[in-house]
């Protein structure tokens, strides 16, 4: 998905995504990627130079897109990393834990068939795999760092 910037007199106005129509005046809607060069210039629309987002610690920080900045005549993507307060960090960890447990539960359900007594499998290997899945929440770094076991 391409991103564009609308600016006026060198001042950032807004981000524009090419997957949604944008109203350019009272009567006209258009996708940014379909604008002619003349229309793009008239409406102050240019492609956004995407930059690699900075690292952030998902356990204690959040990363948000910020208004683009004009650098040497090119509009560049910008990000802001901010600290989470204790309550937000706890809520985020609880959400991530719930998500990881849901993934783990689906992985367990996907191999329930191995527990049928006449399944032609290596029972010990599958039992070890299923136990490793159950042990995922007790791994160091959970819920942010997980080593998922490989199925036999």
């Amino acid at each position: 998905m391409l991103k564009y910037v609308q600016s006026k007199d060198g001042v950032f106005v807004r981000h524009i995504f090419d997957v949604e129509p944008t109203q350019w005046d009272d009567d006209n809607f258009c996708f940014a990627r379909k604008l002619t060069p003349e229309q793009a210039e008239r409406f102050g629309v240019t492609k956004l130079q995407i930059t690699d987002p900075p690292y952030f610690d998902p356990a204690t920080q959040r990363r948000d897109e910020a208004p683009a900045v004009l650098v040497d005549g090119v509009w560049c993507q910008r990000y802001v990393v901010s600290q989470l307060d204790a309550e937000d960090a706890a809520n985020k960890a609880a959400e991530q834990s719930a998500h990881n447990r849901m993934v783990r539960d689906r992985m367990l359900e996907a191999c329930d068939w191995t527990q049928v007594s006449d399944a032609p499998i290596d029972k010990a290997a599958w039992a070890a795999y299923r136990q490793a899945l159950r042990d995922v929440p007790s791994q160091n770094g959970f819920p942010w760092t997980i080593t998922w076991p490989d199925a036999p």
Side-chain angles (χ1 to χ4, degrees):
M1 168 181 9
L2 291 175
K3 291 185 183 179
Y4 296 84
V5 169
Q6 186 175 28
S7 62
K8 184 171 177 82
D9 299 326
V11 176
F12 174 84
V13 175
R14 63 186 171 138
H15 286 106
I16 301 170
F17 299 91
D18 71 346
V19 295
E20 57 192 36
T22 301
Q23 185 171 355
W24 300 107
D25 56 36
D26 291 336
D27 301 317
N28 295 312
F29 289 84
C30 184
F31 290 97
R33 70 179 179 275
K34 292 186 177 182
L35 291 174
T36 66
E38 294 79 23
Q39 290 171 319
E41 184 176 338
R42 188 169 104 216
F43 294 119
V45 174
T46 56
K47 282 186 183 177
L48 179 65
Q49 176 69 42
I50 303 299
T51 59
D52 290 332
Y55 171 80
F56 74 107
D57 178 359
T60 61
Q61 298 174 318
R62 64 180 284 154
R63 179 180 62 207
D64 296 301
E65 288 187 8
V69 62
L70 191 59
V71 177
D72 296 328
V74 177
W75 284 100
C76 298
Q77 180 62 56
R78 207 167 52 105
Y79 298 90
V80 173
V81 175
S82 56
Q83 293 296 122
L84 295 173
D85 63 32
E87 182 179 348
D88 287 342
N91 290 339
K92 193 172 180 184
E95 289 173 13
Q96 188 66 34
S97 294
H99 172 76
N100 292 340
R101 284 187 172 89
M102 178 198 63
V103 170
R104 187 268 321 262
D105 291 347
R106 287 184 179 167
M107 292 171 79
L108 280 166
E109 288 173 15
C111 63
D112 277 351
W113 65 272
T114 65
Q115 302 308 293
V116 176
S117 62
D118 61 349
I121 58 162
D122 179 348
K123 295 275 190 194
W126 279 99
Y129 169 69
R130 291 173 60 82
Q131 186 59 53
L133 286 174
R134 288 186 199 94
D135 292 341
V136 162
S138 62
Q139 289 181 7
N140 285 338
F142 184 85
W144 305 109
T145 306
I146 299 171
T147 303
W148 293 100
D150 293 323

